[in-house]
Tab-separated table of all heavy atoms in Angstrom:
chain	number	residue	atom	x	y	z
A	16	LEU	N	0.807	-1.222	0.000
A	16	LEU	CA	0.000	0.000	0.000
A	16	LEU	C	0.839	1.271	0.000
A	16	LEU	O	0.359	2.324	0.423
A	16	LEU	CB	-0.934	-0.002	1.217
A	16	LEU	CG	-1.977	-1.123	1.255
A	16	LEU	CD1	-2.807	-1.035	2.518
A	16	LEU	CD2	-2.869	-1.093	0.022
A	17	ARG	N	2.073	1.153	-0.460
A	17	ARG	CA	2.871	2.370	-0.590
A	17	ARG	C	2.225	3.312	-1.612
A	17	ARG	O	1.672	2.867	-2.619
A	17	ARG	CB	4.296	2.030	-1.018
A	17	ARG	CG	5.146	1.411	0.079
A	17	ARG	CD	6.539	1.111	-0.425
A	17	ARG	NE	6.483	0.167	-1.541
A	17	ARG	CZ	7.533	-0.148	-2.278
A	17	ARG	NH1	8.704	0.418	-2.047
A	17	ARG	NH2	7.403	-1.015	-3.273
A	18	TRP	N	2.342	4.603	-1.361
A	18	TRP	CA	1.668	5.599	-2.202
A	18	TRP	C	2.133	5.513	-3.654
A	18	TRP	O	1.328	5.632	-4.587
A	18	TRP	CB	1.916	7.003	-1.651
A	18	TRP	CG	1.180	8.086	-2.398
A	18	TRP	CD1	1.688	8.973	-3.293
A	18	TRP	CD2	-0.211	8.368	-2.310
A	18	TRP	NE1	0.709	9.798	-3.776
A	18	TRP	CE2	-0.481	9.451	-3.177
A	18	TRP	CE3	-1.269	7.807	-1.575
A	18	TRP	CZ2	-1.758	9.984	-3.329
A	18	TRP	CZ3	-2.536	8.341	-1.743
A	18	TRP	CH2	-2.763	9.412	-2.615
A	19	ASN	N	3.419	5.287	-3.872
A	19	ASN	CA	3.956	5.217	-5.232
A	19	ASN	C	3.464	3.995	-5.995
A	19	ASN	O	3.492	3.987	-7.235
A	19	ASN	CB	5.487	5.220	-5.204
A	19	ASN	CG	6.052	6.565	-4.782
A	19	ASN	OD1	5.358	7.580	-4.865
A	19	ASN	ND2	7.282	6.572	-4.302
A	20	ARG	N	3.039	2.958	-5.274
A	20	ARG	CA	2.506	1.774	-5.948
A	20	ARG	C	1.023	1.921	-6.244
A	20	ARG	O	0.524	1.378	-7.223
A	20	ARG	CB	2.745	0.525	-5.090
A	20	ARG	CG	4.213	0.173	-4.904
A	20	ARG	CD	4.401	-1.205	-4.340
A	20	ARG	NE	3.864	-2.237	-5.230
A	20	ARG	CZ	3.972	-3.541	-4.988
A	20	ARG	NH1	4.576	-3.962	-3.875
A	20	ARG	NH2	3.463	-4.413	-5.823
A	21	VAL	N	0.306	2.622	-5.397
A	21	VAL	CA	-1.124	2.836	-5.630
A	21	VAL	C	-1.344	3.936	-6.661
A	21	VAL	O	-2.197	3.809	-7.559
A	21	VAL	CB	-1.831	3.194	-4.306
A	21	VAL	CG1	-3.322	3.464	-4.546
A	21	VAL	CG2	-1.666	2.062	-3.298
A	22	LEU	N	-0.571	5.006	-6.569
A	22	LEU	CA	-0.683	6.140	-7.499
A	22	LEU	C	0.725	6.527	-7.967
A	22	LEU	O	1.355	7.427	-7.404
A	22	LEU	CB	-1.372	7.327	-6.814
A	22	LEU	CG	-1.598	8.575	-7.670
A	22	LEU	CD1	-2.442	8.240	-8.890
A	22	LEU	CD2	-2.266	9.670	-6.832
A	23	PRO	N	1.232	5.852	-9.011
A	23	PRO	CA	2.589	6.171	-9.506
A	23	PRO	C	2.674	7.610	-10.004
A	23	PRO	O	1.730	8.116	-10.626
A	23	PRO	CB	2.781	5.167	-10.647
A	23	PRO	CG	1.797	4.072	-10.387
A	23	PRO	CD	0.626	4.734	-9.734
A	24	PRO	N	3.784	8.294	-9.757
A	24	PRO	CA	3.939	9.685	-10.234
A	24	PRO	C	3.832	9.797	-11.747
A	24	PRO	O	3.320	10.812	-12.257
A	24	PRO	CB	5.339	10.059	-9.738
A	24	PRO	CG	5.625	9.129	-8.609
A	24	PRO	CD	4.919	7.859	-8.943
A	25	GLU	N	4.303	8.771	-12.482
A	25	GLU	CA	4.240	8.820	-13.942
A	25	GLU	C	2.792	8.864	-14.430
A	25	GLU	O	2.466	9.623	-15.361
A	25	GLU	CB	4.958	7.602	-14.545
A	25	GLU	CG	6.452	7.536	-14.254
A	25	GLU	CD	6.761	6.956	-12.888
A	25	GLU	OE1	5.800	6.553	-12.204
A	25	GLU	OE2	7.943	6.902	-12.528
A	26	VAL	N	1.932	8.067	-13.804
A	26	VAL	CA	0.515	8.067	-14.186
A	26	VAL	C	-0.134	9.399	-13.830
A	26	VAL	O	-0.925	9.951	-14.610
A	26	VAL	CB	-0.218	6.906	-13.500
A	26	VAL	CG1	-1.717	6.954	-13.798
A	26	VAL	CG2	0.350	5.573	-13.938
A	27	GLU	N	0.203	9.922	-12.687
A	27	GLU	CA	-0.351	11.210	-12.262
A	27	GLU	C	0.055	12.321	-13.227
A	27	GLU	O	-0.768	13.172	-13.618
A	27	GLU	CB	0.126	11.530	-10.846
A	27	GLU	CG	-0.526	12.750	-10.238
A	27	GLU	CD	-0.102	12.985	-8.810
A	27	GLU	OE1	0.752	12.223	-8.311
A	27	GLU	OE2	-0.635	13.920	-8.181
A	28	GLN	N	1.308	12.328	-13.648
A	28	GLN	CA	1.772	13.333	-14.608
A	28	GLN	C	1.121	13.156	-15.970
A	28	GLN	O	0.768	14.136	-16.642
A	28	GLN	CB	3.300	13.256	-14.732
A	28	GLN	CG	4.045	13.634	-13.459
A	28	GLN	CD	5.521	13.330	-13.536
A	28	GLN	OE1	6.036	12.907	-14.574
A	28	GLN	NE2	6.221	13.514	-12.420
A	29	ALA	N	0.932	11.886	-16.395
A	29	ALA	CA	0.275	11.633	-17.684
A	29	ALA	C	-1.174	12.106	-17.675
A	29	ALA	O	-1.677	12.627	-18.677
A	29	ALA	CB	0.345	10.152	-18.018
A	30	VAL	N	-1.863	11.934	-16.536
A	30	VAL	CA	-3.240	12.422	-16.424
A	30	VAL	C	-3.271	13.939	-16.500
A	30	VAL	O	-4.160	14.533	-17.147
A	30	VAL	CB	-3.875	11.917	-15.112
A	30	VAL	CG1	-5.223	12.595	-14.882
A	30	VAL	CG2	-4.052	10.411	-15.148
A	31	ASP	N	-2.318	14.598	-15.873
A	31	ASP	CA	-2.260	16.061	-15.926
A	31	ASP	C	-1.993	16.566	-17.346
A	31	ASP	O	-2.478	17.644	-17.738
A	31	ASP	CB	-1.174	16.579	-14.977
A	31	ASP	CG	-1.533	16.353	-13.517
A	31	ASP	OD1	-2.738	16.224	-13.216
A	31	ASP	OD2	-0.612	16.288	-12.674
A	32	ARG	N	-1.230	15.804	-18.134
A	32	ARG	CA	-0.899	16.233	-19.497
A	32	ARG	C	-1.996	15.903	-20.507
A	32	ARG	O	-1.993	16.430	-21.626
A	32	ARG	CB	0.402	15.566	-19.954
A	32	ARG	CG	1.644	16.075	-19.245
A	32	ARG	CD	2.898	15.618	-19.965
A	32	ARG	NE	2.985	14.167	-20.024
A	32	ARG	CZ	3.661	13.419	-19.150
A	32	ARG	NH1	4.308	14.012	-18.130
A	32	ARG	NH2	3.678	12.110	-19.251
A	33	CYS	N	-2.931	15.039	-20.114
A	33	CYS	CA	-3.993	14.631	-21.031
A	33	CYS	C	-5.058	15.737	-21.107
A	33	CYS	O	-5.800	15.971	-20.142
A	33	CYS	CB	-4.611	13.325	-20.561
A	33	CYS	SG	-5.826	12.656	-21.699
A	34	ARG	N	-5.125	16.408	-22.265
A	34	ARG	CA	-6.069	17.514	-22.453
A	34	ARG	C	-7.107	17.234	-23.537
A	34	ARG	O	-8.141	17.913	-23.585
A	34	ARG	CB	-5.312	18.792	-22.820
A	34	ARG	CG	-4.299	19.238	-21.794
A	34	ARG	CD	-4.938	19.530	-20.451
A	34	ARG	NE	-3.985	19.999	-19.453
A	34	ARG	CZ	-4.246	20.086	-18.168
A	34	ARG	NH1	-5.417	19.682	-17.706
A	34	ARG	NH2	-3.333	20.523	-17.329
A	35	SER	N	-6.834	16.277	-24.400
A	35	SER	CA	-7.747	15.988	-25.508
A	35	SER	C	-7.639	14.508	-25.858
A	35	SER	O	-6.823	13.770	-25.301
A	35	SER	CB	-7.416	16.866	-26.724
A	35	SER	OG	-6.100	16.585	-27.179
A	36	LYS	N	-8.475	14.082	-26.828
A	36	LYS	CA	-8.452	12.685	-27.247
A	36	LYS	C	-7.134	12.290	-27.880
A	36	LYS	O	-6.766	11.111	-27.870
A	36	LYS	CB	-9.601	12.430	-28.218
A	36	LYS	CG	-10.969	12.402	-27.558
A	36	LYS	CD	-12.048	11.957	-28.532
A	36	LYS	CE	-13.390	11.835	-27.826
A	36	LYS	NZ	-14.473	11.363	-28.754
A	37	SER	N	-6.435	13.252	-28.433
A	37	SER	CA	-5.149	12.933	-29.047
A	37	SER	C	-4.099	12.526	-28.018
A	37	SER	O	-3.098	11.883	-28.361
A	37	SER	CB	-4.645	14.141	-29.849
A	37	SER	OG	-4.485	15.268	-28.993
A	38	ASP	N	-4.309	12.887	-26.764
A	38	ASP	CA	-3.368	12.526	-25.700
A	38	ASP	C	-3.693	11.174	-25.060
A	38	ASP	O	-2.930	10.694	-24.216
A	38	ASP	CB	-3.378	13.604	-24.609
A	38	ASP	CG	-2.922	14.962	-25.124
A	38	ASP	OD1	-2.051	14.984	-26.005
A	38	ASP	OD2	-3.446	15.991	-24.630
A	39	LEU	N	-4.821	10.571	-25.439
A	39	LEU	CA	-5.225	9.298	-24.831
A	39	LEU	C	-4.252	8.161	-25.114
A	39	LEU	O	-3.983	7.358	-24.210
A	39	LEU	CB	-6.632	8.917	-25.306
A	39	LEU	CG	-7.786	9.772	-24.748
A	39	LEU	CD1	-9.115	9.304	-25.325
A	39	LEU	CD2	-7.825	9.694	-23.225
A	40	PRO	N	-3.697	8.030	-26.352
A	40	PRO	CA	-2.732	6.941	-26.572
A	40	PRO	C	-1.524	7.016	-25.634
A	40	PRO	O	-1.059	5.983	-25.126
A	40	PRO	CB	-2.331	7.107	-28.037
A	40	PRO	CG	-3.510	7.780	-28.666
A	40	PRO	CD	-4.032	8.710	-27.621
A	41	ALA	N	-1.027	8.233	-25.388
A	41	ALA	CA	0.114	8.392	-24.487
A	41	ALA	C	-0.280	8.018	-23.053
A	41	ALA	O	0.486	7.368	-22.322
A	41	ALA	CB	0.633	9.825	-24.546
A	42	LEU	N	-1.504	8.414	-22.653
A	42	LEU	CA	-1.983	8.068	-21.308
A	42	LEU	C	-2.158	6.564	-21.174
A	42	LEU	O	-1.779	5.974	-20.153
A	42	LEU	CB	-3.300	8.796	-21.038
A	42	LEU	CG	-3.977	8.508	-19.700
A	42	LEU	CD1	-3.074	8.877	-18.535
A	42	LEU	CD2	-5.316	9.238	-19.609
A	43	ARG	N	-2.715	5.929	-22.226
A	43	ARG	CA	-2.895	4.491	-22.190
A	43	ARG	C	-1.547	3.774	-22.063
A	43	ARG	O	-1.386	2.828	-21.276
A	43	ARG	CB	-3.626	4.020	-23.442
A	43	ARG	CG	-3.872	2.503	-23.482
A	43	ARG	CD	-4.318	2.098	-24.879
A	43	ARG	NE	-5.611	2.639	-25.188
A	43	ARG	CZ	-6.785	2.028	-24.919
A	43	ARG	NH1	-6.769	0.837	-24.318
A	43	ARG	NH2	-7.925	2.579	-25.241
A	44	LYS	N	-0.572	4.213	-22.833
A	44	LYS	CA	0.754	3.587	-22.804
A	44	LYS	C	1.404	3.741	-21.424
A	44	LYS	O	2.010	2.797	-20.899
A	44	LYS	CB	1.638	4.202	-23.883
A	44	LYS	CG	3.008	3.546	-23.995
A	44	LYS	CD	3.815	4.153	-25.129
A	44	LYS	CE	5.181	3.483	-25.242
A	44	LYS	NZ	5.998	4.057	-26.346
A	45	THR	N	1.254	4.918	-20.834
A	45	THR	CA	1.833	5.152	-19.500
A	45	THR	C	1.177	4.247	-18.458
A	45	THR	O	1.851	3.689	-17.588
A	45	THR	CB	1.660	6.620	-19.097
A	45	THR	OG1	2.264	7.465	-20.074
A	45	THR	CG2	2.292	6.885	-17.742
A	46	CYS	N	-0.152	4.074	-18.561
A	46	CYS	CA	-0.865	3.207	-17.603
A	46	CYS	C	-0.463	1.747	-17.781
A	46	CYS	O	-0.381	0.993	-16.796
A	46	CYS	CB	-2.366	3.376	-17.777
A	46	CYS	SG	-2.994	4.995	-17.269
A	47	GLU	N	-0.219	1.332	-19.022
A	47	GLU	CA	0.196	-0.047	-19.262
A	47	GLU	C	1.611	-0.301	-18.769
A	47	GLU	O	1.932	-1.400	-18.304
A	47	GLU	CB	0.084	-0.361	-20.753
A	47	GLU	CG	-1.362	-0.404	-21.256
A	47	GLU	CD	-1.437	-0.575	-22.765
A	47	GLU	OE1	-0.364	-0.460	-23.423
A	47	GLU	OE2	-2.539	-0.806	-23.291
A	48	ILE	N	2.478	0.708	-18.861
A	48	ILE	CA	3.862	0.560	-18.391
A	48	ILE	C	3.927	0.559	-16.873
A	48	ILE	O	4.768	-0.120	-16.271
A	48	ILE	CB	4.747	1.682	-18.979
A	48	ILE	CG1	4.823	1.541	-20.501
A	48	ILE	CG2	6.145	1.653	-18.379
A	48	ILE	CD1	5.562	2.682	-21.168
A	49	ASN	N	3.029	1.321	-16.235
A	49	ASN	CA	3.029	1.449	-14.771
A	49	ASN	C	1.735	0.860	-14.203
A	49	ASN	O	0.811	1.601	-13.853
A	49	ASN	CB	3.155	2.921	-14.362
A	49	ASN	CG	4.416	3.561	-14.878
A	49	ASN	OD1	5.480	3.446	-14.276
A	49	ASN	ND2	4.316	4.271	-16.009
A	50	PRO	N	1.646	-0.469	-14.105
A	50	PRO	CA	0.407	-1.085	-13.584
A	50	PRO	C	0.187	-0.729	-12.117
A	50	PRO	O	1.095	-0.833	-11.290
A	50	PRO	CB	0.651	-2.585	-13.773
A	50	PRO	CG	2.146	-2.725	-13.808
A	50	PRO	CD	2.663	-1.474	-14.436
A	51	SER	N	-1.007	-0.299	-11.824
A	51	SER	CA	-1.379	0.079	-10.457
A	51	SER	C	-2.903	0.155	-10.407
A	51	SER	O	-3.565	0.146	-11.459
A	51	SER	CB	-0.757	1.428	-10.080
A	51	SER	OG	-1.227	2.445	-10.952
A	52	PRO	N	-3.480	0.248	-9.222
A	52	PRO	CA	-4.947	0.337	-9.143
A	52	PRO	C	-5.514	1.522	-9.918
A	52	PRO	O	-6.489	1.366	-10.658
A	52	PRO	CB	-5.195	0.479	-7.640
A	52	PRO	CG	-4.040	-0.216	-7.001
A	52	PRO	CD	-2.881	0.073	-7.888
A	53	ILE	N	-4.913	2.699	-9.773
A	53	ILE	CA	-5.430	3.868	-10.482
A	53	ILE	C	-5.218	3.748	-11.987
A	53	ILE	O	-6.067	4.161	-12.786
A	53	ILE	CB	-4.768	5.164	-9.935
A	53	ILE	CG1	-5.446	6.402	-10.498
A	53	ILE	CG2	-3.282	5.168	-10.211
A	53	ILE	CD1	-6.891	6.556	-10.065
A	54	ALA	N	-4.096	3.109	-12.391
A	54	ALA	CA	-3.838	2.925	-13.819
A	54	ALA	C	-4.857	1.974	-14.438
A	54	ALA	O	-5.340	2.197	-15.558
A	54	ALA	CB	-2.426	2.392	-14.022
A	55	ARG	N	-5.218	0.920	-13.733
A	55	ARG	CA	-6.218	-0.016	-14.262
A	55	ARG	C	-7.593	0.630	-14.361
A	55	ARG	O	-8.365	0.339	-15.291
A	55	ARG	CB	-6.252	-1.266	-13.381
A	55	ARG	CG	-5.026	-2.159	-13.561
A	55	ARG	CD	-5.177	-3.468	-12.820
A	55	ARG	NE	-4.976	-3.299	-11.389
A	55	ARG	CZ	-3.788	-3.398	-10.784
A	55	ARG	NH1	-2.704	-3.675	-11.490
A	55	ARG	NH2	-3.680	-3.246	-9.476
A	56	LEU	N	-7.927	1.501	-13.425
A	56	LEU	CA	-9.202	2.224	-13.517
A	56	LEU	C	-9.206	3.165	-14.720
A	56	LEU	O	-10.224	3.304	-15.418
A	56	LEU	CB	-9.445	3.016	-12.228
A	56	LEU	CG	-9.788	2.205	-10.980
A	56	LEU	CD1	-9.922	3.104	-9.769
A	56	LEU	CD2	-11.078	1.427	-11.184
A	57	ILE	N	-8.082	3.813	-14.964
A	57	ILE	CA	-7.999	4.716	-16.123
A	57	ILE	C	-8.127	3.940	-17.425
A	57	ILE	O	-8.795	4.388	-18.382
A	57	ILE	CB	-6.677	5.512	-16.074
A	57	ILE	CG1	-6.690	6.481	-14.889
A	57	ILE	CG2	-6.451	6.288	-17.377
A	57	ILE	CD1	-5.367	7.189	-14.653
A	58	LEU	N	-7.513	2.784	-17.494
A	58	LEU	CA	-7.615	1.954	-18.704
A	58	LEU	C	-9.060	1.517	-18.946
A	58	LEU	O	-9.517	1.475	-20.099
A	58	LEU	CB	-6.699	0.728	-18.576
A	58	LEU	CG	-5.194	1.000	-18.654
A	58	LEU	CD1	-4.409	-0.270	-18.376
A	58	LEU	CD2	-4.826	1.573	-20.026
A	59	ILE	N	-9.785	1.178	-17.864
A	59	ILE	CA	-11.201	0.836	-18.010
A	59	ILE	C	-11.985	2.030	-18.533
A	59	ILE	O	-12.840	1.899	-19.430
A	59	ILE	CB	-11.777	0.352	-16.662
A	59	ILE	CG1	-11.208	-1.014	-16.294
A	59	ILE	CG2	-13.296	0.297	-16.710
A	59	ILE	CD1	-11.644	-2.143	-17.210
A	60	ALA	N	-11.696	3.212	-17.982
A	60	ALA	CA	-12.403	4.421	-18.421
A	60	ALA	C	-12.120	4.718	-19.897
A	60	ALA	O	-13.030	5.100	-20.654
A	60	ALA	CB	-11.987	5.607	-17.556
A	61	ILE	N	-10.883	4.507	-20.324
A	61	ILE	CA	-10.535	4.750	-21.730
A	61	ILE	C	-11.225	3.745	-22.649
A	61	ILE	O	-11.737	4.097	-23.718
A	61	ILE	CB	-9.005	4.698	-21.913
A	61	ILE	CG1	-8.354	5.878	-21.176
A	61	ILE	CG2	-8.628	4.742	-23.394
A	61	ILE	CD1	-6.832	5.828	-21.191
A	62	SER	N	-11.258	2.477	-22.221
A	62	SER	CA	-11.864	1.443	-23.064
A	62	SER	C	-13.375	1.621	-23.198
A	62	SER	O	-13.964	1.200	-24.197
A	62	SER	CB	-11.547	0.062	-22.494
A	62	SER	OG	-12.103	-0.083	-21.199
């Protein structure tokens, strides 16, 4: 339950950079590289 494992900084930064649909592929790739609970929820939301 370490904070970096539940909410990786890379995923948090990718979410902040996502402003349009064109940024979704980059967000998806970041979530796939950094598996975590929040990343899996984001992938579900994207799908």
Side-chain angles (χ1 to χ4, degrees):
L16 297 178
R17 286 180 300 172
W18 184 256
N19 290 340
R20 295 193 62 176
V21 178
L22 182 59
E25 296 82 3
V26 176
E27 187 176 3
Q28 295 170 5
V30 171
D31 292 337
R32 290 193 300 265
C33 185
R34 301 300 182 193
S35 62
K36 287 188 176 181
S37 60
D38 298 326
L39 289 179
L42 178 60
R43 181 192 293 271
K44 184 177 180 180
T45 303
C46 291
E47 292 174 350
I48 295 174
N49 301 276
S51 61
I53 189 65
R55 287 188 284 271
L56 289 177
I57 293 173
L58 289 174
I59 290 293
I61 293 174
S62 62

